[in-house]
Amino acid sequence: MKKLFYTVLILFLPFYATSQSQHRTLDSLHQELKNSNDTVKMKTLNYLANLYTESNRDSALYFNEKHLDLTKKLKQPLFTSDAILHKAYLVQQEGNFPLAFKLNNASMAISKDIKQEENPHINYDLWQEKDPRKIRLRILASGYHSLGVIYGNVGNIDKSIENFKEAIRIGEKINDINVISNSDIGQSYLSQNNLDSAWHYTTKAIKNSNISGYKIYQGAMLNNLGTIFFKLKQLDSANHYYRKALIVSDEQNFVSGKILANLSLAEYYESKSNVDSMYYHATKAYTISRDLKESRGVAYSSELISKIHKSLGNTDSAFTYLAMSKRIGDSLRTARETNLTEFLNMGFEEQMLREKAVQENIAFKNKIRTIGLFAGLGLLALLAFIFFRNNRQKQKKNAVLENTLKDLKSTQTQLIQSEKMASLGELTAGIAHEIQNPLNFVNNFADVSDEMLDELKEELAKGDISEAIILANDVKSNLQKITHHGKRADAIVKGMLAHSRAGSSERQPTDINALADEYLRLSYHGIRAKNKNFNSDFKTDFAGNLPRLNVAAQDIGRVLLNLFNNAFYAVQEKAEKEALLAVAQSENGAQQISHNIIATAPYAPMVKVKTQLKEGKVIITVTDNANGIPQAIKEKIFQPFFTTKPTGEGTGLGLSLSYDIVKAHGGEITVDSKEGEGTMFTIQLPRTNGIL
């Protein structure tokens, strides 16, 4: 997802702040500022600075400056360190990375000093935490996290992640549950399109957020999950997490999070060509960004609104919003380039200063200045070259991205076809068995009819017309049965051909009960063809009042076949383990008796399929009594390429494609499993597709 002007990068808030769950009125806070001593005022100013951090940054900066002055006046260095760090966050949100970097280093110079733990002037009664070491290390961890945010904003993602991980490492020393650093590592990986790592760190951050109760930035984390699904083209899941992000951000009064969620939802509805909903969320983002004076949000939301007006033919409005977006965007880019140059020069100058401090020779100092001058010129030349090269390569990169996208789409098509052919292989053995039955009937009735015709001739020769008529009727009955079973074999072959067809399936009225029954038997005979020793019972419980659904029969059949195959595979695996256990028990019978081991009843494999009509939906459940799905992997089973089967026995695409097919039919597929007891998959298809 491309958010050119708006990126959320977040930072630990001061650790000694009053808990956000503690509601205090603004009147009471301002009364404290008027009537309290300096110590209480310092704590109150800090509370107000935190309160306005994500809703009114001008007010937050005002109260932070007042608070910072008091910490210095009262000689509270750790308070000062934390207040400076808070100011670094506020100026960083305005895009002033050089000043944020200077403030960050000033804060860390204090928090790195282990002697502060023994400072007799520090008033620990003002802190929620009373352990000096924990207080200092928490502020130091915040400093490393802040550095990670700064490096991320200037484009050095590797350095950014390195500092986030250092913040986590320091927090682990004092058993702190880290939320924000994990979240921002996930954001960093997301910016690099490393979706697996982004998912890992973001979900870890949300888990830690729920454990610690620190949920103010949880909206941004949920939004990142939505973006991961958006990039994976799983739009329903993306929409779910975007909406959840909007709700949580509103609950936590995280205004920046509301901007981000509304922008994401606007992009989501743009992909769905839903202009009304896109306009609603884009204007919400625009209004909130304007009130918060968040230029990046205003710029990007204006661009989206311009697109909407253009699609509606409102040329004047489209031009107005596009001009606003371009003006703010150009201003942001200019400021960013200026700040980036200043930031890089500042880092270079600090390196020069450190080397100058080591040198005592005047001549060497002059040499360092000369080197600094040429290095500065070289740096400026390098930046000019980078900007020039980027402009030259922009079109080339776009061409490469288009080719990559085509390759990915081609690969996806091939993988889906590969899974279809794999399921076709699963069908082959079952189909062979199913075809053999009607062919046996055809052959048997044909042989019997041949014999009857001979008898018919004999009776006609004798002149026994009544017996000849009886034989003729029997032959006709046999021919009808031959026709019936021939059509049955023909239907099976046509079904097999339909299953192997690569193109999209046409929807037609389908008897779900008959479809489930057919594929259940095909699956069972397919397993039996592979393993002659395997036996399993299977039961059906079909509702008699099901409507015929307008579905792609071969696609829904493919879903059912996949679920049946998995169920039979699971009970087969458990049966084999139970058999091995029984052998081991029989070989050690005497030892078992001596230890009072009671033998359990033999395991009876069972697969059940049930259909029912409930609340306007056709419900199909497939249940087995195998070992169940471990809780640790239950959430992964619908992910592409995830499989628990040995190498060569599964592609890992079956359940993923099944999920997509059911979704494409407007339905839902869910799983319920208990370890050691079994698994139940449930498919819900809307009756709106049905005909009575």
Side-chain angles (χ1 to χ4, degrees), residues 623-641:
T623 309
D624 66 65
N625 64 342
N627 287 320
I629 302 173
Q631 188 67 30
I633 66 171
K634 188 187 293 185
E635 295 181 358
K636 301 179 182 179
I637 62 172
F638 292 113
Q639 294 178 8
F641 306 111

Side-chain angles (χ1 to χ4, degrees), residues 162-273:
E162 177 185 327
N163 279 280
F164 290 146
K165 289 185 176 180
E166 179 63 15
I168 294 173
R169 188 188 66 80
I170 293 173
E172 288 174 348
K173 286 185 176 181
I174 52 177
N175 297 322
D176 268 356
I177 299 175
N178 188 287
V179 178
I180 307 302
S181 289
N182 278 298
S183 175
D184 279 0
I185 292 176
Q187 169 70 36
S188 299
Y189 281 124
L190 183 57
S191 70
Q192 296 178 322
N193 273 331
N194 187 341
L195 303 186
D196 288 341
S197 297
W199 176 271
H200 170 77
Y201 282 100
T202 304
T203 52
K204 185 176 181 181
I206 292 174
K207 178 181 178 182
N208 289 349
S209 172
N210 290 329
I211 293 173
S212 66
Y214 185 74
K215 298 183 177 181
I216 183 171
Y217 295 118
Q218 198 175 91
M221 305 170 202
L222 291 167
N223 199 85
N224 285 347
L225 292 184
T227 301
I228 291 171
F229 280 110
F230 193 93
K231 287 176 178 286
L232 291 171
K233 308 299 183 186
Q234 296 183 20
L235 299 184
D236 289 344
S237 297
N239 182 39
H240 168 76
Y241 281 107
Y242 286 152
R243 293 197 173 279
K244 196 171 181 180
L246 187 60
I247 293 170
V248 172
S249 296
D250 189 56
E251 291 173 349
Q252 298 296 325
N253 195 27
F254 178 30
V255 183
S256 296
K258 289 193 281 186
I259 296 173
L260 182 59
N262 276 295
L263 287 174
S264 299
L265 284 166
E267 287 187 329
Y268 164 78
Y269 284 113
E270 180 183 18
S271 72
K272 304 285 281 188
S273 300

